Amino acid sequence: MADEGKGPGERPVRWGILATGGIAGKFVEDLAELPDAEVVAVGSRSLASAEGFAQRYGIPRAHGDWASLAGDPDVDVVYVATPHSAHQEPVRLCLEAGTPVLCEKPFTLNAAQAEELVGLARERRVFLMEAMWTYCNPVVRRMAELVADGAIGEVLAVHADFGIEAPMDATHRLRDPLLGGGALLDLGVYPVAFAQLLLGEPDEVRAWARLSGGVDENTGLLLGYASGAVAALTCSLVADTARTAVVTGSLGRIEFPRGFFHPERFVLHRAGAEPEEFSVPGPSNSFIHEASEVGRALRAGETESPLVPLDGTLAVMRTLDAARREIGLRYPGE
Ligand SMILES: NC(=O)c1ccc[n+]([C@@H]2O[C@H](COP(=O)([O-])OP(=O)(O)OC[C@H]3O[C@@H](n4cnc5c(N)ncnc54)[C@H](OP(=O)(O)O)[C@@H]3O)[C@@H](O)[C@H]2O)c1
């Protein structure tokens, strides 16, 4: 019983989930917290996997291929949660079917793939957004407002890192070049996106990495700006880093504790003043903020989110490409 068009109007937004892996499950669990959202279908490369996921989460319909989910008339928006190397194809299928998409980070394997999808979405006027949940987090938005209001003056430096240390065999997607493995695309995308939220696209990108098995496992980036601002960023698959961020300006600095990409709070140090702590009620380690933003945009008839603009996504992908050129990392088929 499809309504006219794809817009949800006043009823709950009907989500389709594309992939049945780890983050797809967490997204479905988080959506259950949103009163104006429901999951109506799941799609997978195999019907058995889709049916298993549907049973586990009480989802009414299971599709054994991506195209059937993309064309499901009862789905308002598809959440794409495949490995990075498998983002482009299902997003394209959805856009060609006229179905809005929220696609996991990193948006694609490289900027060329991202440009193709953004071009298609704009040509077809279909909603498309990268699932950069950090940009939708209320605490990050509060920080961005304060910075825009001049709370720390001119932003001169951003420091951020995201490293994990976990046992992973060679078949794990983060270790598999065929799946776009490595620290930079999976984890480094957060420090890069955070820096670019504050400083925009850099004029120069420098990077250094230790490569292993065809992926980067310990990586540093220096983003340079014609203004003289800099961002120093690291990511790792072999070191449990602090996962903090600091934004330093001419009049003070803002410090984020561990987990800067889904923060509960930050501390503002204005020059010559006592530190001020900021927090916002509600969950921080949750996908409800990005899902709410998608629902809001669909109801408003918007084809891009102002919180996660596609031009920003493209700029992040160009920086990741530039860093990969510096460290000599190419994926199969590139
Ligand atoms: N926002 C976040 O906090 C966050 C956290 C983790 C991951 N992510 C992103 O979400 C995406 C998926 O990550 P994940 O940790 O959920 O991965 P995962 O557990 O390995 O699951 C990926 C799923 O994608 C499907 N898939 C499609 N093509 C595939 C292929 N060629 N090889 C393997 N699986 C394939 C599989 O489902 P079927 O068998 O049903 O096709 C698989 O279960 C990544 O892009 C990652 O960066 C985001």
Side-chain angles (χ1 to χ4, degrees), residues 205-275:
V205 177
R206 297 277 180 267
W208 181 255
R210 185 168 87 189
L211 303 182
S212 173
V215 304
D216 65 299
E217 63 175 17
N218 194 56
T219 307
L221 294 86
L222 190 62
L223 312 188
Y225 292 83
S227 67
V230 293
L233 316 169
T234 68
C235 53
S236 183
L237 296 182
V238 288
D240 178 14
T241 67
R243 304 180 200 165
T244 57
V246 183
V247 185
T248 307
S250 53
L251 300 175
R253 70 181 186 280
I254 291 172
E255 296 179 352
F256 283 86
R258 186 169 178 80
F260 77 89
F261 47 94
H262 58 83
E264 281 170 15
R265 61 190 174 85
F266 61 82
V267 178
L268 168 62
H269 299 261
R270 298 183 203 255
E274 286 299 308

Side-chain angles (χ1 to χ4, degrees), residues 19-24 43-46 49 66 79 81-84 86-87 104-106 131 133 173 179 186 190 287:
T20 59
I23 215 61
S44 164
R45 294 166 301 166
S46 89
S49 183
W66 295 340
Y79 168 64
T82 45
H84 331 324
H87 285 178
E104 261 308 338
K105 45 52 63 176
W133 59 317
R173 75 170 173 81
L179 299 181
D186 199 80
Y190 286 109
F287 295 131

Side-chain angles (χ1 to χ4, degrees), residues 186-212:
D186 199 80
L187 307 171
V189 66
Y190 286 109
V192 168
F194 186 81
Q196 294 197 189
L197 177 68
L198 292 149
L199 290 168
E201 188 169 6
D203 298 295
E204 297 267 349
V205 177
R206 297 277 180 267
W208 181 255
R210 185 168 87 189
L211 303 182
S212 173

Side-chain angles (χ1 to χ4, degrees), residues 4 32 43 109 148 163 166 183 219 230 239 268 275 299 334:
E4 310 121 56
L109 210 52
T219 307
V230 293
L268 168 62
R299 290 202 168 86
E334 283 191 315

